[in-house]
Amino acid sequence: MKSRVALVKGDDRRDNICRAMQLIREDLASKIDGQAVIVKPNCLKSAVPLSCTHADALRGILDFLSQSSPESVVVAESCRGSEHFQSFKELGYILLSEEYDASLVDLEEEDDWYEICLLNKDFQEVTVRISRSVMDCKCRISAAVAKTHDTVVMTASWKNMMGAIALPDKVKMHGVNSHPERVLASEIVILPQNLLRLAKLVPPHIGVIDGFIGMEGSGPVSGEEHYLGIAIASTDFVAADAICARVMGFEPMDIGYLYYAHESGLGTAKLDDIEIVGDTIENTAGKFVPHPNYPVQCTWRELAASARKTQ
């Protein structure tokens, strides 16, 4: 059976998100009803709002949840900065707990963590801490932004789950212990492998992508605005990201981590195996300017093969 992905286009970000979820209400009900729901936005750098999930995208999700039957709803993400809820305040999330029956949680203030194993650049296992509340949750909704990326071409609902990792440990997803150690040719190989490991432990049960205004060029932080006016939703987060990639002008199976996910059965990345409900790719597509690293990113197959030979 084909994976279903809702794709809508409109001039209201909040309404787009809610309409996309409504189009696949039957798919979502079994994930949401009676469950404690965590909505996981992206607060990568709140000083650059374009790099983060917009408050109105969260409102669209919460509008839909208010018409459903969850046991509870929490908006949870790691807040950067010394002040309590600093990222949430800068992005306007604080009002959400007043407008909806939803609470806010800063994952960095948790004191209970799981340890999971990732790979370093030498393909050795290293441990990182991951939020126990996110790990144990039965309904995780990834509220992501459509952006280009400096390592894996593009990022959407799947990679957003990196936010469940303790902030000091997140860089280990790239195979190193600090950002100055990052080497593009190495992390192009390691990051997709660690994304697979992460997705097997804390996959989004529902992927929601805000493409109202995406980021192109030097994403995921320093890029430029690209208006699309779309929203995407699916219970298959790989398929959601694949459709997002295609709308952004990339071929999903040419992106390493989406290719690996499809081949491993984690989700669907081949467009022929996806049923789109709502609008069409032809009516919504926009050609994103890729990251300047894109020519090297496209060599992931060769880099991965070379890395395997040296192991």
Side-chain angles (χ1 to χ4, degrees):
M1 186 170 64
K2 290 187 174 184
S3 294
R4 292 214 307 164
V5 175
L7 173 62
V8 302
K9 186 177 179 69
D11 57 8
D12 186 301
R13 184 196 308 263
R14 175 176 175 176
D15 183 61
N16 287 354
I17 296 286
C18 190
R19 283 197 295 125
M21 298 181 77
Q22 287 171 340
L23 282 173
I24 53 169
R25 174 177 290 277
E26 291 181 0
D27 300 356
L28 303 185
S30 62
K31 307 287 185 182
I32 292 170
D33 291 349
Q35 298 295 335
V37 175
I38 284 181
V39 180
K40 163 66 178 67
N42 184 337
C43 295
L44 180 60
K45 190 172 183 179
S46 53
V48 184
L50 181 62
S51 72
C52 303
T53 305
H54 197 284
D56 279 347
L58 294 178
R59 286 187 175 93
I61 293 172
L62 295 171
D63 287 343
F64 179 84
L65 292 175
S66 68
Q67 303 165 17
S68 305
S69 303
E71 178 185 279
S72 59
V73 178
V74 171
V75 177
E77 168 67 312
S78 295
C79 288
R80 298 174 186 266
S82 57
E83 185 182 353
H84 177 62
F85 279 168
Q86 184 169 324
S87 294
F88 287 178
K89 291 175 181 177
E90 292 175 352
L91 294 168
Y93 293 178
I94 297 297
L95 292 175
L96 298 176
S97 62
E98 302 172 10
E99 298 170 11
Y100 299 91
D101 185 15
S103 57
L104 303 178
V105 169
D106 179 356
L107 296 177
E108 283 306 297
E109 296 181 353
E110 292 195 337
D111 55 10
D112 193 5
W113 302 86
Y114 277 117
E115 285 193 347
I116 66 171
C117 288
L118 299 178
L119 296 175
N120 67 14
K121 61 183 177 59
D122 298 315
F123 291 85
Q124 299 168 333
E125 288 194 333
V126 295
T127 60
V128 300
R129 295 166 296 152
I130 193 165
S131 163
R132 183 176 293 271
S133 60
V134 175
M135 187 93 166
D136 290 345
C137 182
K138 303 301 182 184
C139 182
R140 294 179 287 267
I141 300 178
S142 178
V145 187
K147 300 187 289 184
T148 52
H149 193 267
D150 57 357
T151 307
V152 290
V153 181
M154 56 80 64
T155 173
S157 68
W158 176 355
K159 191 175 175 298
N160 180 42
M161 297 309 297
M162 280 177 56
I165 298 173
L167 276 176
D169 292 347
K170 280 180 66 176
V171 70
K172 292 183 180 180
M173 286 286 292
H174 295 263
V176 294
N177 293 317
S178 66
H179 282 281
E181 298 176 72
R182 290 174 59 182
V183 176
L184 182 61
S186 173
E187 62 185 346
I188 284 173
V189 175
I190 293 298
L191 183 52
Q193 297 303 320
N194 283 333
L195 284 170
L196 285 174
R197 288 186 171 224
L198 184 67
K200 290 175 181 177
L201 295 169
V202 284
H205 299 102
I206 300 168
V208 178
I209 304 167
D210 175 21
F212 192 74
I213 298 176
M215 179 183 286
E216 66 180 0
S218 298
V221 176
S222 303
E224 303 296 328
E225 291 187 2
H226 186 120
Y227 174 80
L228 279 177
I230 67 158
I232 294 169
S234 181
T235 57
D236 181 339
F237 66 94
V238 178
D241 285 11
I243 294 301
C244 183
R246 186 65 190 87
V247 170
M248 293 170 69
F250 304 110
E251 290 300 325
M253 292 293 283
D254 288 343
I255 297 173
Y257 71 102
L258 294 180
Y259 172 86
Y260 290 137
H262 186 89
E263 291 299 301
S264 66
L266 194 60
T268 303
K270 285 187 177 179
L271 299 182
D272 289 344
D273 297 333
I274 299 172
E275 177 191 355
I276 300 175
V277 295
D279 218 314
T280 65
I281 289 176
E282 291 73 20
N283 288 339
T284 57
K287 183 68 174 177
F288 274 51
V289 175
H291 193 278
N293 291 342
Y294 185 65
V296 183
Q297 292 170 347
C298 291
T299 67
W300 62 269
R301 288 182 173 87
E302 294 87 344
L303 291 171
S306 176
R308 284 194 294 270
K309 290 179 181 178
T310 63
Q311 299 308 307

